[in-house]
Amino acid sequence: MQEKSSSQPLIRIVDDDSSVRVALLDLFQSIDLEAIAYDSPRALLDADNLDTPGCIVLDVRFSGSSGLDFQSDLQKAGNRMPIIVVTGHGDIPMSVRAMKAGAIDFLTKPLRDQDLIDAVTGAIKRDQVIRSQSQTRSDVKRLRETLTPREVEVMHAVVNGYMNKQIAGQLGISMVTVKLHRSNVMKKMRVRSVADLVKKAELLGQDQPAAQGDS
């Protein structure tokens, strides 16, 4: 079943027990949360691109596969969709593995409705934060891409606390040129202060160029 295009968070239920799927769909519907159910991880991947915000409620055991392996595969692929792992056969090593692989909660069956609702609500909020941060970082990267290579060097020096005179010495350019580049950086990065520039540079993380050494 293909998911609907919607801005409303979507809960993906992945469980091979049809009675569990029906019960969870009814539960989420009763509190006005949109949900869709799949009988296996493969069915989820075949029908859902995971672009719609939300979370995954994932059972551990499936015929011929493991929910924890699926969780690990998503993590390796860079998908950060929050996952709540549920199982009727939970143990400490299994819960540790699930949490290390990025699960935000580990619940054992039979599930208490309120526990699951609390976990799902927290997962949806977490997904919203993750997506917001990712969008902000993408916006900053697009701004950084408008800079010339020299402006990138000047920006990096500025956020590392170097004064104009030091930057001129490092890059072998005049103070006037440094000031021009610095002004361009502030305009293109849409900031009014060095503090704001530092915040945006921090969002870029490892995408920043290597630090310039003193010359």
Side-chain angles (χ1 to χ4, degrees):
M1 177 176 170
Q2 184 66 40
E3 73 170 78
K4 300 175 182 178
S5 175
S6 172
S7 59
Q8 181 180 352
L10 178 66
I11 304 165
R12 289 92 165 165
I13 302 161
V14 188
D15 198 302
D16 60 1
D17 187 328
S18 61
S19 63
V20 171
R21 295 197 301 272
V22 170
L24 295 187
L25 286 171
D26 288 343
L27 171 64
F28 295 132
Q29 184 178 14
S30 72
I31 55 173
D32 295 324
L33 287 177
E34 186 175 353
I36 189 169
Y38 304 96
D39 61 7
S40 70
R42 173 47 55 190
L44 168 64
L45 292 178
D46 287 345
D48 192 331
N49 57 20
L50 300 180
D51 283 345
T52 302
C55 67
I56 299 172
V57 177
L58 177 67
D59 192 21
V60 168
R61 297 183 185 276
F62 295 91
S63 177
S65 65
S66 162
L68 296 185
D69 288 339
F70 170 68
Q71 178 196 8
S72 180
D73 289 342
L74 284 183
Q75 184 188 48
K76 290 175 183 176
N79 189 295
R80 303 174 68 186
M81 175 78 66
I83 295 176
I84 300 160
V85 174
V86 298
T87 181
H89 310 278
D91 55 29
I92 292 177
M94 186 182 292
S95 64
V96 169
R97 179 184 170 190
M99 301 304 277
K100 282 186 175 180
I104 68 167
D105 217 330
F106 186 93
L107 304 177
T108 55
K109 298 176 181 178
L111 300 171
R112 289 184 64 250
D113 288 354
Q114 193 58 53
D115 288 343
L116 184 57
I117 290 171
D118 290 344
V120 165
T121 301
I124 289 173
K125 289 180 179 178
R126 177 170 174 173
D127 188 53
Q128 290 170 337
V129 170
I130 290 172
R131 289 173 184 271
S132 176
Q133 291 174 339
S134 178
Q135 182 59 53
T136 299
R137 185 170 182 270
S138 296
D139 292 343
V140 173
K141 285 182 69 176
R142 281 194 290 271
L143 293 178
R144 202 274 306 275
E145 289 169 359
T146 68
L147 303 180
T148 67
R150 180 64 85 191
E151 288 167 352
V152 171
E153 291 178 319
V154 170
M155 180 181 76
H156 188 66
V158 169
V159 300
N160 278 281
Y162 291 109
M163 306 299 289
N164 287 348
K165 184 176 180 180
Q166 294 172 303
I167 298 172
Q170 286 179 4
L171 302 182
I173 56 180
S174 70
M175 285 272 288
V176 172
T177 303
V178 170
K179 290 179 181 179
L180 177 62
H181 286 317
R182 185 167 178 157
S183 176
N184 289 339
V185 167
M186 301 296 279
K187 291 176 183 176
K188 291 182 179 180
M189 294 300 292
R190 299 179 184 174
V191 294
R192 295 184 177 182
S193 68
V194 172
D196 289 339
L197 184 63
V198 169
K199 290 178 182 178
K200 286 193 172 181
E202 287 175 346
L203 288 173
L204 297 171
Q206 295 181 352
D207 290 333
Q208 280 288 85
Q212 296 282 345
D214 292 327
S215 51

